[in-house]
Amino acid sequence: MQILVTGGTGYIGSHTVVELQKRGYEVIIVDNLSNSRREIIDNIEKITGIKPVLEVFDLEDRKKTSDFFKKYPDLKGVIHFAAFKAVGESVEKPLMYYRNNLVSLINILESMQENDVENIVFSSSCTVYGQPDHLPVSETAPIKKAESPYGNTKQISEEIIQDTIKVSKINGIALRYFNPIGAHESALIGELPLGVPNNLVPFITQTAIGIRDELKIFGNDYPTPDGTPIRDYIHVVDLAEAHVIAIKRMIDGKMKNDFEVFNLGTGTGYSVLEVVKAFEKVSGVKLKYKIVGRREGDIVQVWADPTYSNKELGWKAKRNLEEMVASAWKWEKAYRSRI
Ligand code: UFG
């Protein structure tokens, strides 16, 4: 059973490739390596014993995308991760984000139609809910106006998929991720931010290992118990497992509708300070941090209602916060010792 994983050398992509291979799927990766490294392929092989096929090109290229689909006529489905994902950068370079994230999706969908590939799992985000009116947030909550071009590409992409489904044989599942953190237990794959990390956990682990001076906590005057914002952090391996279930659900013809949406979160929210404390506990490292002003665009708090995903997918996030930050720390140390 052949599956295309776009962005398969990236953070969530690489973990999903491992879980797919473990369950017997043959994975073909397309990646332009713009935000990842070719060596990840070797590390995937070290984990699973199977080297996935890697085709390096840019999915913005219509002709190359079309040629790729013709080269692999047996594809049963697509899991589409490849996209730019930095919120701040998207505000600076909106057209770069709209072109990359939307054009590549359009090229994939056109090629799927031409080649009778009927199943696509799309990497979406809880960012589509903005600051929800009710917590926990379920899949039926209204979509809020996007705070950034990045967030807008996720909303528009879901709409592009829905409109395509209406006029084709394509089925789609949008998986709305909450905050993926952590790394594979082998510490051979993990999150590898280029330059200064934007996200909390890579910033924590890089500070602890001495690459950054101190963590800046963006505000402690929010209306939350300790004043810092709350998120639903989910282990990347739990997230990866949900992708395997989603693609199988499509291939097995088990969908309720031709477009489905699932929240991927644990259902529990933790504050920034709680994440810092969990990290200090599992690592034994005292983290240097200081409280600074709020970061523009940050929402106060969000966590998932995963009831529908738990029930419909038969999936549940299993790994707790301490396991998440411990695995992120193990990965950071292992990665730094290798380079
Ligand atoms: N934070 C800090 N210091 C840092 C980095 C983050 O205090 O150096 C705080 C943030 O203010 C926030 C929390 O840690 O309260 C989590 O921040 P992240 O940047 O790790 O995650 P976000 O929730 O801001 O962003 C994530 C994804 C985005 C997505 C967004 C939608 O990274 O892709 O959720 O809510 F758009």
Side-chain angles (χ1 to χ4, degrees), residues 11 178-183 200-202 204-205 226 228-236 238 265-283 317-330:
Y11 174 43
F178 284 69
N179 286 54
I181 60 170
L200 179 63
V201 171
I204 289 176
T205 56
D226 67 19
T228 61
I230 295 176
R231 298 286 184 274
D232 185 338
Y233 296 92
I234 175 168
H235 198 298
V236 67
D238 281 324
T266 64
T268 304
Y270 289 103
S271 72
V272 176
L273 282 172
E274 285 174 316
V275 176
V276 169
K277 278 189 205 119
F279 175 78
E280 289 185 329
K281 184 176 167 203
V282 300
S283 67
K318 297 190 284 279
R319 296 158 179 90
N320 64 27
L321 183 64
E322 289 188 4
E323 292 172 271
M324 298 181 212
V325 290
S327 67
W329 181 228
K330 185 179 174 191

Side-chain angles (χ1 to χ4, degrees), residues 187-253:
L188 285 163
I189 54 175
E191 189 169 6
L192 242 190
L194 292 183
V196 183
N198 294 306
N199 296 114
L200 179 63
V201 171
F203 210 104
I204 289 176
T205 56
Q206 288 197 8
T207 304
I209 211 152
I211 299 171
R212 311 283 157 210
D213 288 341
E214 63 184 356
L215 169 72
K216 293 183 185 64
I217 295 183
F218 300 133
N220 67 348
D221 56 352
Y222 284 94
T224 60
D226 67 19
T228 61
I230 295 176
R231 298 286 184 274
D232 185 338
Y233 296 92
I234 175 168
H235 198 298
V236 67
V237 176
D238 281 324
L239 199 72
E241 287 169 355
H243 289 74
V244 182
I245 294 170
I247 198 80
K248 183 172 189 313
R249 178 181 175 88
M250 306 183 97
I251 293 168
D252 291 350

Side-chain angles (χ1 to χ4, degrees), residues 30 73 84 96 117 131 166 204 227 252-253 275 278 280 289 300 307:
V30 170
F84 292 152
M96 188 175 104
V117 180
Q131 176 59 64
K166 285 181 198 146
I204 289 176
D252 291 350
V275 176
E280 289 185 329
Y289 67 84
V300 181
T307 312

Side-chain angles (χ1 to χ4, degrees), residues 5 14 23 33 47 69 117 119 124 159 197 269 272 288 297 319 326:
V5 178
S14 57
R23 285 162 188 80
L33 303 176
I47 297 170
F69 274 83
V117 180
N119 303 310
S124 191
E159 289 171 1
V272 176
K288 217 174 147 212
R319 296 158 179 90

